[in-house]
Amino acid sequence: MKKVKRFVTVLLNILSSKFLEVLFLVTMLTGLIGCSTSGSFQDESQSQVPTFSEAERPDPDPRVGLEPGVFDAEEAIWNLRKLSSTTSA
């Protein structure tokens, strides 16, 4: 029982108000530094994907009249690239 009381006392001393103040300041500074980075990682002139307004919309819309289904629903996409299809087991 004495070991538990000693452990609690040591723990409370570690978590004193000064420790919490320092921890709070370090956390705030880390957040500010992380959020204050400027610049972009990708050059916008190198983007090859057209924006939504530049892509030609299909006429008529291929989504109209699609049949619903749990395992056999119909699909239609535009302005996207299909990466994979998974068949039901």
Side-chain angles (χ1 to χ4, degrees):
M1 191 64 165
K2 287 183 180 181
K3 289 182 180 181
V4 173
K5 287 182 181 179
R6 181 158 164 53
F7 176 75
V8 170
T9 305
V10 170
L11 189 61
L12 289 175
N13 287 337
I14 291 173
L15 297 176
S16 67
S17 63
K18 285 292 183 190
F19 176 77
L20 292 177
E21 288 176 15
V22 170
L23 181 64
F24 177 75
L25 288 174
V26 168
T27 304
M28 292 300 293
L29 286 174
T30 304
L32 287 174
I33 290 170
C35 293
S36 66
T37 58
S38 61
S40 65
F41 295 104
Q42 178 183 4
D43 187 11
E44 293 177 9
S45 64
Q46 295 178 354
S47 177
Q48 298 176 356
V49 178
T51 61
F52 185 73
S53 61
E54 294 174 355
E56 294 180 26
R57 294 180 179 94
D59 188 32
D61 191 344
R63 299 171 293 174
V64 174
L66 291 178
E67 295 293 323
V70 176
F71 298 108
D72 58 348
E74 294 180 347
E75 61 185 34
I77 59 173
W78 67 275
N79 197 24
L80 297 170
R81 183 173 31 142
K82 188 172 184 177
L83 298 177
S84 69
S85 291
T86 304
T87 58
S88 60

